[in-house]
Amino acid sequence: MSKSLDPEIVKRLEQLEEKFRNSGQDLGSYLDGLLHDRYLTYWDYIHLDTLLSLQIPRTHFPDEEIFITYHQITELYFKLIIHEMKQIVDDKLQTAAFFIEKLNRINRYFNVLTDSFDIMVKGMDKEQFLKYRMSLLPASGFQSVQFRMIEVYATPLCNLVNDKERGNYSENEALEDTYERLYWKFGATETETGEKTLTLKQFEYRYTPRLMRIANQVQDSTVYQSFKNLPESEQNNATLIKAMRTFDANVNVNWCLVHLKAAYRYLNKTGNKSVAATGGTNWKQFLPPTFQNISFFPSLWSEEELANWGKKWVEDLVNTSN
């Protein structure tokens, strides 16, 4: 004896039939597919086996697995951050509430990253790190294109120009020219010759087209410009301004400082000399926020705050690291 279908099930089937009919599709075919489909499992949904197969150390040192796994986790968080930033850039509603929601998500992601960075600072054996890092040359975290994408989505390229080059910058110059002046390029040059490191050359060859494509796409709609395009009443929202400032500090102060802290832990005072970073960067000059002096949203800070950008944090870090 056949059992009568629950009226709610019949209602849903009728809704599905209408949905597929309106799109020129046959509901029966989709029901056949559902009938023969396997039940979804957690491990298949997140591709767990594939995910766990991606940690492939290059040496026999056990702590290298910590190093590579943490960097992969970081890149996944960067992906989530970019996911939120794209929604801000594409937003047409122009409400402070939407900005705040997305920025709060971004700040939570960065809080997780900075809070967990002690895994890198304290969670690896120093001697192991100094040995296996040599097998990574010339690869470097400097080559994280997703971090550079975060910068490009956040603010116009002019705000990423090297501090020493800002006097030569012109608002009328082509984006390609501004791109050549970006601060991080100056952090990956040979100290003695001024030549670009292999790390930088590799990165430029691989990712310059992508970064320039994004820069052109968001030339007038970065997060900063989207904020400035909000109605004045929305721009003056105190919660939004706080979220913007927090994002700026998270990326351009806090994230720099946790890396500087790790560098002091592993690279400072080895035989009375600092060890060079794998990418050839002069980390003591490149990592401090006071050297980079980058702010995504300069109009949201006072002149005094910009003049002392990250200074106190760096002084505290150096004093506690020595």
Side-chain angles (χ1 to χ4, degrees), residues 140-257:
S140 169
F142 175 92
Q143 294 175 320
S144 170
V145 70
Q146 288 200 113
F147 186 76
R148 303 303 169 203
M149 289 168 64
I150 289 170
E151 294 180 319
V152 174
Y153 277 115
T155 195
L157 289 189
C158 61
N159 290 333
L160 304 175
V161 168
N162 178 22
D163 192 30
K164 296 181 176 59
E165 286 285 306
R166 289 176 196 171
N168 301 322
Y169 168 75
S170 168
E171 291 185 0
N172 298 321
E173 72 180 23
L175 281 180
E176 289 75 13
D177 295 330
T178 305
Y179 178 78
E180 290 304 317
R181 302 176 188 270
L182 299 189
Y183 78 94
W184 46 265
K185 289 175 175 277
F186 293 82
T189 56
E190 299 287 352
T191 304
E192 295 182 1
T193 65
E195 292 292 321
K196 294 180 180 180
T197 62
L198 178 58
T199 299
L200 177 55
K201 291 177 181 178
Q202 287 178 327
F203 180 82
E204 288 184 323
Y205 181 80
R206 179 71 173 82
Y207 288 122
T208 290
R210 181 186 300 184
L211 291 174
M212 288 307 306
R213 183 170 62 252
I214 295 171
N216 277 285
Q217 287 173 346
V218 301
Q219 188 170 5
D220 301 311
S221 60
T222 64
V223 172
Y224 190 30
Q225 290 159 306
S226 297
F227 167 78
K228 287 187 167 184
N229 289 334
L230 289 173
E232 187 174 345
S233 59
E234 300 293 285
Q235 285 189 50
N236 293 330
N237 184 297
T239 303
L240 172 57
I241 292 172
K242 180 180 179 181
M244 295 277 287
R245 283 166 56 96
T246 299
F247 175 36
D248 207 349
N250 272 337
V251 181
N252 294 309
V253 177
N254 300 334
W255 188 240
C256 299
L257 288 180

Side-chain angles (χ1 to χ4, degrees), residues 1-15:
M1 181 182 295
S2 61
K3 183 180 178 181
S4 298
L5 288 175
D6 186 301
E8 283 298 318
I9 298 296
V10 173
K11 181 179 178 181
R12 290 190 180 99
L13 285 172
E14 290 173 347
Q15 290 173 336

Side-chain angles (χ1 to χ4, degrees), residues 8 14-15 21-22 37-38 50-52 61 66 75 79 94 104 113 156 161 175 229 231 261 267 274 277-278 315:
E8 283 298 318
E14 290 173 347
Q15 290 173 336
R21 184 173 62 250
N22 290 338
D37 195 15
R38 294 181 301 170
T50 300
L51 183 63
L52 298 180
F61 295 106
I66 300 171
E75 291 294 337
K79 182 176 182 178
Q94 292 193 309
N104 284 345
L113 287 172
V161 168
L175 281 180
N229 289 334
K261 186 176 180 181
L267 305 180
S274 294
T278 52
E315 290 174 348

Side-chain angles (χ1 to χ4, degrees), residues 260-302:
L260 185 61
K261 186 176 180 181
Y264 267 95
R265 161 81 168 86
Y266 295 108
L267 305 180
N268 199 41
K269 293 185 176 180
T270 300
N272 296 322
K273 293 177 64 178
S274 294
V275 180
T278 52
T281 58
N282 186 334
W283 59 269
K284 280 191 173 181
Q285 291 184 0
F286 178 68
L287 288 177
T290 49
F291 169 80
Q292 298 184 4
N293 199 22
I294 297 297
S295 170
F296 291 157
F297 319 126
S299 68
L300 300 183
W301 303 89
S302 69

